[in-house]
Amino acid sequence: MPPSLDLKEFQDKLSTHFRPWQRSFQFWVRAADIYSGYKAFQLRVTFERDAQKQEAMWERQHEVAAEKIYNMCSDLGGFFLKIAQIIGKPDLAPAAWVRRLVTLCDQAPTTPYHVIQVVLEKELGRNVDELFERFDADPIGSASIAQVHRARLKGDKDDVVVKVQHPGTQDLMMTDIRNLQAFALYMQKTDIKFDLYSVTKEMEKQIGYEFDFKREADAMERIRRFLYENNKKAPVRVPRAIRNMVTRRVLVMEYIDGTPILKLEDEIAKRGINPGGKIAAAAKQNILKSLTLAYGQMILKSGFFHADPHPGNILICKGSEVALLDYGQVKDLPDSLRLGYAKLVLAIADNDPIRASESYRELGIDTLSKCEDEQNELFKLAQTMFDTKLPPGVTMLQPFSEGSSIKKVSVQAFPEELFSVLRTVHLLRGLSVGLGINYSCAEQWRPIAEEALYRAGRLKGEDLKTKRHRRGLFRR
């Protein structure tokens, strides 16, 4: 007698098989709608001569597009939540996009506890009740790849965080990113003269790494040790992994109590402090200073750095101490790129277009000029791409604008490995704009870049002394 057919199991298998195709179809239909809407609008707005009316028309168009982008990212979830984090920043996207997309930071869907329990017990080899004194069934946070629960291990007095992967997300994420790669190829041939495809290839590599929590635990410990060894007091707190409780899909680490940076204003007001006053301003300056120092040391001194400083990964603890979470995305720059970037940092800090052009060539950034004043436009592009301080008169990047540097200077080749630096700088800029502070990370990183080049024999001791003496930074 033939085995009976389980209809539900058959339907589930069929749904799983066709799900990537369904997601691809949904992405292309929605992306085409958003893109064609902007292209049609660009033609329509040219018939309006009044500048104020044009601005109002653009604002309405951005609001319409923001709602469509929000719905696409929210409905599809997964990888598209990461895309929302990247583009939903005050320095990069229209204000209407930012207002809508910022709310997606903490809206990743959660996996039911009974499913999480199965993953935990399979990975750790024991029942949850045998391992934990207490395990909160409701997650304290959920992202595109995993969710985190607060718990306490048997025999311990301190709480821990248990990070558990959502089952079945990796294949879908790879489908999403390949769709994005195809869209990037089209965009760089038609509208944005920038090597977007290389950027998406680096994203594909980094996301693949994020599904290995053993790698994440090793990265977390390496960065933690580096920051503690190179400072009297580490500029940021890094969680400590519980080494005997780490697998590819489960990561147990110390719990750090703090306020998410996105809720900092509310916390300041709750404590009776004027959010616009001097005390609040000083606290924000200290927060940004700590993050900037940590990243300057990681990128320029070590080359191994946390490559995902979006607001959801930053906690503010007592005394304005900063905790940096989630080490799934890290990057290990080869020395050639690390030192090449150090040279570019100095060129930007010293306002030197000639050295910036030389650094671009050394880094392997291939550009093609479409304007007469190539050197200055290339320098503006370098500032926009690799510094947190926006160039004079620029409030946000507008790749479709005819006046943008990306339109005037086409970036034909961009090293994949530099994307993580680029993204990190842009996320830091987004944080600074959100905190209401316009500052230059290049200027803050100048001493670190000089030290890195000096240690590598690329900067003579006398030159270093002269530079620091002129700035009043030379230490006797």
Side-chain angles (χ1 to χ4, degrees):
M1 182 178 177
S4 60
L5 178 67
D6 187 328
L7 185 59
K8 186 177 187 309
E9 183 182 350
F10 175 75
Q11 288 175 331
D12 289 343
K13 285 183 178 178
L14 197 66
S15 175
T16 301
H17 178 75
F18 283 105
R19 197 176 174 196
W21 295 96
Q22 292 171 337
R23 285 179 73 83
S24 296
F25 178 74
Q26 287 186 57
F27 167 75
W28 283 106
V29 167
R30 296 185 188 213
D33 179 39
I34 295 163
Y35 176 78
S36 60
Y38 267 110
K39 298 307 287 184
F41 173 78
Q42 281 182 309
L43 182 63
R44 192 168 69 249
V45 78
T46 57
F47 294 103
E48 177 57 63
R49 300 298 178 189
D50 186 278
Q52 286 188 333
K53 289 182 179 178
Q54 272 193 357
E55 190 174 333
M57 288 173 69
W58 271 108
E59 180 63 21
R60 284 195 297 275
Q61 174 61 26
H62 289 324
E63 286 175 354
V64 170
E67 191 63 30
K68 291 179 178 179
I69 295 169
Y70 175 90
N71 288 334
M72 179 177 76
C73 293
S74 179
D75 292 346
L76 294 177
F79 176 71
F80 291 99
L81 295 175
K82 288 188 175 290
I83 294 298
Q85 290 169 0
I86 292 170
I87 64 175
K89 300 193 298 90
D91 62 295
L92 183 61
W97 288 25
V98 177
R99 286 194 300 269
R100 200 69 183 98
L101 296 181
V102 74
T103 59
L104 277 174
C105 267
D106 298 316
Q107 288 193 17
T110 60
T111 297
Y113 175 67
H114 70 273
V115 178
I116 290 296
Q117 185 176 359
V118 171
V119 175
L120 271 172
E121 294 180 350
K122 182 180 178 183
E123 291 293 307
L124 298 177
R126 295 173 67 185
N127 291 336
V128 170
D129 292 341
E130 293 174 351
L131 292 167
F132 298 98
E133 189 75 43
R134 190 191 76 246
F135 192 100
D136 294 349
D138 293 328
I140 55 175
S142 182
S144 50
I145 288 174
Q147 64 190 48
V148 291
H149 295 257
R150 189 170 179 176
R152 183 171 293 181
L153 293 166
K154 289 272 189 182
D156 276 8
K157 60 180 181 180
D158 297 320
D159 284 358
V160 294
V161 165
V162 184
K163 183 175 180 179
V164 188
Q165 276 183 36
H166 300 299
T169 57
Q170 189 167 6
D171 290 342
L172 288 178
M173 273 207 173
M174 293 301 109
T175 297
D176 293 340
I177 199 162
R178 286 177 192 124
N179 284 325
L180 188 68
Q181 285 169 351
F183 188 65
L185 276 173
Y186 175 78
M187 290 293 288
Q188 72 185 45
K189 287 178 180 178
T190 56
D191 289 280
I192 301 177
K193 303 303 177 185
F194 189 91
D195 186 7
L196 293 172
Y197 181 72
S198 291
V199 170
T200 60
K201 287 297 289 181
E202 176 65 14
M203 289 172 73
E204 180 181 13
K205 190 191 305 180
Q206 286 294 317
I207 286 169
Y209 291 150
E210 283 196 73
F211 285 92
D212 185 355
F213 287 177
K214 287 184 176 181
R215 183 180 184 274
E216 179 176 348
D218 290 342
M220 188 160 61
E221 182 54 32
R222 180 175 169 182
I223 289 174
R224 184 174 179 273
R225 190 169 59 247
F226 166 77
L227 290 174
Y228 278 78
E229 288 175 355
N230 284 272
N231 298 277
K232 289 181 179 179
K233 182 186 177 185
V236 297
R237 284 185 67 182
V238 179
R240 179 178 52 84
I242 311 300
R243 298 305 304 187
N244 62 340
M245 301 197 73
V246 179
T247 73
R248 189 175 175 84
R249 297 200 296 163
V250 172
L251 171 58
V252 181
M253 70 196 99
E254 70 171 311
Y255 173 80
I256 295 177
D257 191 28
T259 302
I261 197 168
L262 283 176
K263 297 178 180 177
L264 182 62
E265 293 279 343
D266 293 340
E267 185 64 25
I268 287 172
K270 199 184 294 181
R271 295 183 183 185
I273 300 169
N274 177 9
K278 290 182 179 179
I279 295 175
K284 291 174 186 177
Q285 289 277 4
N286 286 335
I287 290 165
L288 205 53
K289 183 180 177 182
S290 297
L291 281 167
T292 304
L293 176 59
Y295 273 97
Q297 289 181 345
M298 285 189 284
I299 293 171
L300 297 166
K301 195 170 183 177
S302 166
F304 188 78
F305 64 99
H306 178 288
D308 196 19
H310 74 78
N313 289 339
I314 299 169
L315 287 181
I316 310 304
C317 310
K318 289 181 179 179
S320 299
E321 187 180 27
V322 180
L324 197 54
L325 312 178
D326 194 349
Y327 291 75
Q329 286 194 44
V330 292
K331 190 66 189 173
D332 198 356
L333 287 180
D335 282 348
S336 58
L337 285 181
R338 177 176 66 87
L339 297 173
Y341 182 60
K343 285 186 175 181
L344 181 59
V345 166
L346 292 184
I348 294 171
D350 293 338
N351 204 34
D352 190 333
I354 296 173
R355 277 166 52 210
S357 299
E358 292 170 354
S359 297
Y360 257 41
R361 287 193 293 273
E362 185 176 336
L363 288 166
I365 302 173
D366 186 20
T367 60
L368 178 66
S369 174
K370 293 188 174 184
C371 60
E372 293 178 5
D373 195 5
E374 177 184 356
Q375 202 167 77
N376 281 330
E377 285 300 333
L378 188 61
F379 187 64
K380 285 181 186 177
L381 184 62
Q383 289 176 309
T384 302
M385 290 172 64
F386 291 109
D387 195 11
T388 50
K389 189 172 186 177
L390 291 167
V394 176
T395 55
M396 70 179 70
L397 302 185
Q398 295 179 321
F400 288 102
S401 167
E402 291 302 322
S404 73
S405 297
I406 291 177
K407 284 282 189 178
K408 294 177 183 178
V409 181
S410 172
V411 180
Q412 296 185 307
F414 188 83
E416 291 178 15
E417 291 177 303
L418 268 185
F419 167 67
S420 293
V421 176
L422 177 68
R423 181 169 184 254
T424 298
V425 171
H426 280 231
L427 286 168
L428 286 174
R429 183 195 290 156
L431 285 171
S432 68
V433 172
L435 292 172
I437 301 168
N438 190 17
Y439 83 114
S440 167
C441 71
E443 290 177 9
Q444 300 294 317
W445 289 347
R446 188 193 333 233
I448 306 171
E450 288 173 345
E451 183 186 352
L453 292 168
Y454 172 70
R455 288 182 179 275
R458 306 278 189 94
L459 189 64
K460 294 179 181 178
E462 289 304 314
D463 293 340
L464 181 59
K465 286 181 181 180
T466 302
K467 280 175 172 287
R468 291 188 171 181
H469 183 71
R470 284 175 179 169
R471 296 197 308 272
L473 295 175
F474 177 63
R475 297 170 186 171
R476 299 186 183 277

